[in-house]
Amino acid sequence: MIIHGGPGGNHYVFERTIGPLLSTSRTVIYYEQRGCGRSEMPFDDTEYSVPLLIEDFKSLLHWLGVKKVDLLGYSFGGELALEIAHALPNIINRIVLSGPSLIHSEVNKLVQITGFCSVVDSKMYGQLQEILNEGKSIDDVYNAYWDRADRKVVDLLMFENQEIARRNRDMWEESSLVNTGLMFKALQKFPLSISLIDRLRDISQQTLIMTGVFDRNTGIPISKLIHKELSNSELVLFHHSAHFPDLEEPEKFKETVLAFLEN
């Protein structure tokens, strides 16, 4: 089962790139979360929460008649995969995480703030420094940085290879699928009472964590934090990738995932 990121993303690019490579050896099942990609939106914009996303997943497995699955989650999908494994331990076999996030953690926001500073030109760097010097909260700085980020800056944040970034953006535009931001806002507004990082030690499944060394979006700090808390996990670094090793190093990504699942 492939769990997409965002929050609010879709599988359009994954289906056309790394997905077919994985499907040569495994049965790959895609689904797009409520209000995401080609899935219908809920009647109420506030009906986005981790418990609801877990119930949706559980209902899908029941409909498929599948008793146990492996999960592959990328970006926020990695975080959601861990939430699913925590809530439904008996139906999850192995877990693969690619550039997983912890969207409620200040560490994740700090990684992105630092990432922005590392990729912008000198003029914008000065503007970002002015924001930092205003003594704002981490949340306010984080939001201000994203408000100032154009497509070029976002691509530099997410990709080391800008030609691959352009191809990725071409597929985004080809898909005509738009992330409305509603899910992200709802999840930010209504975090769980006990954060995921405080529950990771309850997850016992074998877990593979894959992270690009140039990942400026979630990055090595988040992956190492998750790796440290998961007792049965291994961390593999991709030395030519940023946030999407599946696109920047597809062959290594495929071989690493399949070797882990088939071991």
Side-chain angles (χ1 to χ4, degrees):
M1 297 286 288
I2 313 296
I3 317 293
H4 67 72
N10 60 74
H11 281 313
Y12 190 88
V13 175
F14 200 98
E15 289 172 343
R16 287 156 178 77
T17 53
I18 190 66
L21 298 181
L22 297 176
S23 68
T24 60
S25 300
R26 304 283 298 188
T27 299
V28 176
I29 300 174
Y30 304 95
Y31 83 99
E32 291 173 332
Q33 298 143 34
R34 56 173 57 203
C36 300
R38 291 148 287 191
S39 293
E40 293 184 1
M41 296 179 65
F43 293 112
D44 189 330
D45 289 348
T46 64
E47 290 187 355
Y48 295 101
S49 69
V50 169
L52 285 173
L53 294 176
I54 292 170
E55 283 303 311
D56 290 344
F57 179 86
K58 187 176 178 180
S59 296
L60 177 60
L61 284 195
H62 179 73
W63 179 77
L64 289 169
V66 177
K67 294 183 178 180
K68 203 160 189 176
V69 295
D70 297 315
L71 298 179
L72 189 161
Y74 52 94
S75 196
F76 168 71
E79 184 172 350
L80 181 55
L82 291 169
E83 291 283 10
I84 291 169
H86 184 271
L88 308 171
N90 295 329
I91 63 175
I92 304 304
N93 187 26
R94 296 188 183 188
I95 306 168
V96 178
L97 310 174
S98 178
S101 66
L102 290 171
I103 63 171
H104 295 294
S105 71
E106 290 190 344
V107 175
N108 207 148
K109 293 168 186 173
L110 287 170
V111 168
Q112 291 185 11
I113 288 169
T114 304
F116 277 125
C117 289
S118 72
V119 300
V120 297
D121 59 27
S122 58
K123 180 180 178 181
M124 189 169 180
Y125 179 80
Q127 294 173 355
L128 298 182
Q129 284 298 303
E130 288 179 7
I131 295 170
L132 281 175
N133 293 337
E134 291 172 359
K136 296 177 180 288
S137 69
I138 291 175
D139 282 345
D140 286 342
V141 172
Y142 172 81
N143 291 328
Y145 276 33
W146 273 103
D147 287 342
R148 285 162 176 75
D150 59 17
R151 287 186 171 190
K152 180 180 178 181
V153 170
V154 172
D155 284 349
L156 288 168
L157 186 77
M158 299 288 185
F159 290 90
E160 187 64 12
N161 184 322
Q162 291 305 296
E163 177 56 35
I164 293 175
R166 284 188 286 274
R167 293 205 297 268
N168 175 71
R169 194 166 286 281
D170 286 344
M171 282 188 278
W172 281 1
E173 294 177 359
E174 176 187 289
S175 74
S176 298
L177 301 175
V178 178
N179 186 344
T180 65
L182 292 175
M183 180 188 285
F184 180 70
K185 290 177 181 177
L187 293 178
Q188 287 285 71
K189 189 175 180 180
F190 302 108
L192 295 176
S193 58
I194 303 176
S195 69
L196 176 60
I197 194 65
D198 293 324
R199 293 179 280 116
L200 288 176
R201 292 185 181 181
D202 299 332
I203 298 172
S204 60
Q205 287 91 344
Q206 282 186 273
T207 303
L208 168 68
I209 307 167
M210 301 181 293
T211 305
V213 298
F214 299 106
D215 189 344
R216 295 168 280 264
N217 187 56
T218 56
I220 292 176
I222 297 299
S223 289
K224 283 197 169 182
L225 186 58
I226 293 172
H227 175 46
K228 180 182 69 174
E229 297 299 320
L230 291 178
S231 61
N232 197 10
S233 65
E234 61 179 286
L235 174 62
V236 176
L237 298 180
F238 285 68
H239 294 278
H240 304 285
S241 299
H243 190 53
F244 294 101
D246 54 307
L247 296 178
E248 297 199 273
E249 296 180 71
E251 283 299 323
K252 179 179 177 180
F253 188 96
K254 179 195 74 170
E255 292 169 4
T256 304
V257 170
L258 294 180
F260 170 74
L261 293 177
E262 295 170 359
N263 186 6

